[in-house]
Amino acid sequence: MNQSTTASETLCFQCNLNKTSNGDEHSSFINTIKIHYPNAMLIDDFVFKTKELLIPRAFYPRVNTMCCVSLCRDEITSPFKNVIESIYGSAFSCGSLGGMLLCGRTGFSAAHSHVPIDDACLIYYCFTHIAINENGQIGSVLRNKTGMKQESSACGALVAFTRELKSGIRQPIHIDENDVEMTFLKKQLLNTLPTLAKQQTTLLEVTHTAYLTITSDLENHVIDDSKNHEKRQYALFTGVQIHGPNGHDYVWLGKSSFVKHGKLENFPFDNVNHK
């Protein structure tokens, strides 16, 4: 058996992680991601696939297209933005803790003023994030690139919020000027799904609610802008960025949409489940 054949046969078809002769090296991670984030893709494959799908719609990298990216401030989300910018050039940053869209009307207006009035294309990659370690534990990640020897949390803000929910959160949420992003995060997620306040809430539920909130906010802002720019095209991708073992990052795409003339339509993407 030649070397290339051996290598291909020892990669997991689901997530490209190495296998050993005794089974999957990260079988617990693989099983967890299959259950909770089916059809997740490596970030490089995902961004390349979106580019392939958008070029026939006249989204040309570094010609007429700008990307707007909303990811959590956490440094481990940066590989996603790096891949996007390697194809499209510098992206406009819309993100905050948890990947929430807190840039508001002024932020969106700024992004939309950085492209030509006519015939411009904008792509939005807006994702919250979560970690799954090699043992399949949700919310845990080893940040070995910073020299840490112990695991930490991702998303840290969503983990903290989940813990607060379990201990009994005080409502209504008041905006803390010393912790603006976190208090807005809590307020927005509870507005999206008030039942999060129950004490049995899990990190998976909180993360999914963040994805739903980001998606709704994004669509509202983009649809509003598109009504004033009839020739503009917008592609929207939202979901969850997943940090796996050994620094591998994945994307679970929750929804992909296309906006033009103030109208939102589903944008077909292979292997995506719209929820």
Side-chain angles (χ1 to χ4, degrees):
M1 185 179 294
N2 61 43
Q3 186 174 359
S4 61
T5 302
T6 303
S8 65
E9 290 185 351
T10 58
L11 289 178
C12 168
F13 77 95
Q14 181 76 13
C15 63
N16 268 10
L17 293 183
N18 290 328
K19 296 180 180 180
T20 66
S21 58
N22 295 323
D24 291 344
E25 184 178 0
H26 298 295
S27 59
S28 295
F29 165 78
I30 293 168
N31 291 336
T32 300
I33 202 171
K34 282 181 180 179
I35 292 169
H36 298 292
Y37 296 107
N39 301 318
M41 302 173 65
L42 288 165
I43 55 173
D44 301 70
D45 295 338
F46 170 72
V47 177
F48 184 78
K49 179 69 173 178
T50 59
K51 184 192 78 168
E52 283 190 317
L53 292 172
L54 289 171
I55 284 178
R57 289 191 178 231
F59 285 72
Y60 302 127
R62 300 176 189 266
V63 176
N64 68 341
T65 301
M66 186 177 80
C67 290
C68 298
V69 177
S70 180
L71 304 172
C72 182
R73 295 187 181 281
D74 192 328
E75 77 282 349
I76 59 173
T77 66
S78 60
F80 196 176
K81 188 178 182 184
N82 292 343
V83 173
I84 294 167
E85 292 188 329
S86 70
I87 295 174
Y88 291 98
S90 297
F92 188 95
S93 180
C94 303
S96 65
L97 291 178
M100 304 298 290
L101 284 167
L102 299 184
C103 58
R105 186 185 301 110
T106 299
F108 277 94
S109 177
H112 296 158
S113 69
H114 295 174
V115 294
I117 294 176
D118 294 325
D119 300 327
C121 295
L122 292 117
I123 306 173
Y124 278 91
Y125 294 96
C126 300
F127 288 73
T128 189
H129 71 132
I130 198 169
I132 303 174
N133 70 10
E134 62 183 3
N135 298 317
Q137 184 177 352
I138 295 169
S140 295
V141 63
L142 180 61
R143 302 167 190 268
N144 50 9
K145 291 184 179 179
T146 64
M148 291 185 71
K149 304 299 182 183
Q150 70 281 3
E151 291 186 337
S152 58
S153 299
C155 168
L158 296 183
V159 168
F161 183 40
T162 303
R163 289 173 182 161
E164 188 174 352
L165 290 168
K166 288 181 177 179
S167 64
I169 192 167
R170 293 183 179 181
Q171 297 190 69
I173 305 296
H174 297 289
I175 303 304
D176 181 352
E177 292 185 0
N178 293 315
D179 203 6
V180 172
E181 287 189 1
M182 187 62 180
T183 47
F184 262 110
L185 179 151
K186 296 176 187 179
K187 191 177 182 70
Q188 286 188 288
L189 296 194
L190 287 170
N191 285 342
T192 298
L193 190 62
T195 55
L196 278 179
K198 65 184 182 181
Q199 293 188 334
Q200 295 79 19
T201 297
T202 67
L203 177 60
L204 283 167
E205 291 173 308
V206 171
T207 303
H208 194 74
T209 305
Y211 145 67
L212 293 174
T213 304
I214 291 165
T215 302
S216 176
D217 289 349
L218 175 63
E219 290 175 355
N220 289 336
H221 280 289
V222 169
I223 289 171
D224 186 59
D225 184 71
S226 70
K227 293 175 182 177
N228 300 317
H229 302 284
E230 292 187 358
K231 294 184 179 181
R232 280 189 183 172
Q233 300 187 94
Y234 311 75
L236 318 181
F237 300 101
T238 59
V240 181
Q241 179 181 3
I242 305 156
H243 313 291
N246 299 332
H248 292 287
D249 272 50
Y250 307 84
V251 170
W252 174 80
L253 178 61
K255 188 172 183 181
S256 54
S257 305
F258 184 78
V259 177
K260 192 172 183 179
H261 304 307
K263 295 181 180 180
L264 176 81
E265 63 181 66
N266 284 337
F267 181 60
F269 191 96
D270 293 343
N271 297 325
V272 61
N273 295 320
H274 293 276
K275 296 186 179 180

